[in-house]
Amino acid sequence: MPKGLIATAVLLAFASPARAQEETGPLDQLESDLREVAGRDDRAFDALSKVLAAEFLRLDQPDRALLALRRAAGRPGAGRDILDLHARVAVQQGRPVEAFDSLTRLLALDPRDPEIQARWRKALDEGEGLLDASRHLEPLVRSDPENPRWRAALARAYLRDGRLEDAERQLGEALRLRPDDAESLELRATVLARSGRDDEATLAFEKVVGAAPDRPRLQAAWTILLDLYERRGRLPEVRRALEAEAGASSDWRVHVRLAELLRRAGDEAGARRVSRDALAKVPEADSVYFRQQEINQLLRAGDPAAESELRRAIELEPANGILYQQLANFLSRSGRHADACAVLEQGIAATSDPTILPAMRDTLERIKKLETGGQ
């Protein structure tokens, strides 16, 4: 690197943040030096780009830092360090597509580096719908055809693009290389389901769910398998699976699905039992939502248990005007107009929500007329 460029870089490296305004001159000089070495000295260009980017980040100018790194990383022969730094800054600035490009080139240099693989997959997920992943992955598969991870990743990209036959072909190769790979097995089952091949997909998902002990990761696969059972009219199997899962799982959504299935089968008592069991497992953050779902089901069925559930919900949320409104309407439909009016008067005094108060007052007036026979 020319001596003048070294001096500029050293000056910047030891500058104080308090001297940001004074540093404009050296930064401008460094950008000029970059233009001077561009295309002539790749190592100097990379080194100066990193120094310049570091200074822009220190001065809280991430856009200019990213621009400096983008120019360096965009060269065909960009080095590992510059690609790595560009990807990190791009991720920090919410640019997953830009990060994905540099991470893909990093992986081409070392396809089996687990850290880069993890970062690449994260950028792929965050950039879903924004980037053409298959365009980046196809060259990697060609350069390392015996790597099942690349083939599974390309299959996932094809699946996202709706290229189901291409996805299945890549997964066939991936499973030839690693027959028990859980990711490839699950992807293949998903491709079969998307292709409308329900019988094959059901068998494939049964294999996936039955073979892997990692239940949380397989939640999506297990859910799809239940959907396939339902589509094929295998409701007893769905019920057995849900009952077994409800006994072992802390996920309250499993119980909700089982309760819905029991209601569709006409077993309202069983549905309520499952719901009561579930409530003990529902996290506090979800309990109000869960109770509201259950209350809605009871109200739709005209179940007398709706009253006790609504009163219990009001105890938990004494300022929730919607609950008072629901309870009053339920009582009024049962002919208990005086009780309904008392509930509404209590609710109007307890809530200050301007979005529900007018409706509560209107309902109170309407029920009072019903109580007095319309007078």
Side-chain angles (χ1 to χ4, degrees), residues 81-101:
D81 289 349
I82 205 73
L83 290 171
D84 180 74
L85 184 58
H86 173 242
R88 291 183 188 280
V89 174
V91 166
Q92 290 168 1
Q93 296 306 306
R95 302 285 186 87
V97 176
E98 195 169 329
F100 184 80
D101 187 63

Side-chain angles (χ1 to χ4, degrees), residues 41 129 137 145-146 358:
D41 188 338
L137 284 161
E146 298 300 302

Side-chain angles (χ1 to χ4, degrees), residues 20-215:
Q21 295 299 320
E22 299 174 21
E23 293 169 14
T24 304
L27 286 171
D28 290 343
Q29 179 61 49
L30 185 51
E31 287 189 307
S32 174
D33 293 342
L34 274 171
R35 288 192 291 272
E36 180 184 332
V37 299
R40 296 194 300 122
D41 188 338
D42 289 345
R43 291 181 63 188
F45 188 82
D46 281 0
L48 288 172
S49 294
K50 286 195 289 186
V51 172
L52 183 61
E55 286 307 301
F56 282 139
L57 290 172
R58 188 172 64 83
L59 297 173
D60 198 23
Q61 299 180 37
D63 289 344
R64 295 185 72 183
L66 191 56
L67 178 61
L69 292 168
R70 187 184 297 142
R71 286 194 298 252
R75 294 185 299 100
R80 180 186 298 269
D81 289 349
I82 205 73
L83 290 171
D84 180 74
L85 184 58
H86 173 242
R88 291 183 188 280
V89 174
V91 166
Q92 290 168 1
Q93 296 306 306
R95 302 285 186 87
V97 176
E98 195 169 329
F100 184 80
D101 187 63
S102 281
L103 287 167
T104 299
R105 292 168 65 194
L106 272 174
L107 273 176
L109 298 174
D110 188 358
R112 299 187 182 278
D113 185 313
E115 185 206 351
I116 298 173
Q117 282 186 359
R119 289 167 60 197
W120 178 89
R121 292 165 76 85
K122 188 172 187 294
L124 176 62
D125 290 338
E126 292 177 352
E128 183 176 2
L130 302 175
L131 53 82
D132 183 359
S134 58
R135 179 176 63 84
H136 294 273
L137 284 161
E138 285 164 348
L140 292 174
V141 169
R142 286 195 294 270
S143 67
D144 189 12
E146 298 300 302
N147 186 334
R149 288 294 180 204
W150 284 134
R151 291 195 177 274
L154 180 55
R156 189 182 294 277
Y158 284 152
L159 179 60
R160 287 172 177 167
D161 295 340
R163 297 168 59 179
L164 301 179
E165 290 183 6
D166 291 332
E168 188 173 4
R169 187 159 43 249
Q170 291 299 328
L171 289 166
E173 287 299 305
L175 289 167
R176 176 184 63 80
L177 295 164
R178 190 177 295 172
D180 297 324
D181 181 62
E183 180 189 14
S184 297
L185 287 168
E186 185 174 350
L187 276 173
R188 181 174 177 275
T190 304
V191 169
L192 293 170
R194 291 268 193 93
S195 302
R197 293 151 64 183
D198 286 1
D199 290 346
E200 293 175 81
T202 300
L203 291 172
F205 273 117
E206 285 175 340
K207 182 177 180 181
V208 170
V209 171
D214 189 359
R215 298 185 77 86

Side-chain angles (χ1 to χ4, degrees), residues 265-312:
D267 185 359
E268 188 62 39
R272 285 203 299 273
R273 187 195 70 251
V274 170
S275 297
R276 283 195 300 272
D277 292 344
L279 193 55
K281 299 184 178 184
V282 178
E284 185 176 348
D286 294 323
S287 61
V288 172
Y289 170 81
F290 178 82
R291 282 189 183 278
Q292 190 62 62
Q293 294 293 99
E294 285 304 298
I295 287 167
N296 291 343
Q297 292 279 7
L298 294 171
L299 289 172
R300 280 194 289 269
D303 193 312
E307 180 181 352
S308 60
E309 288 299 321
L310 278 163
R311 292 190 184 280
R312 192 173 298 119

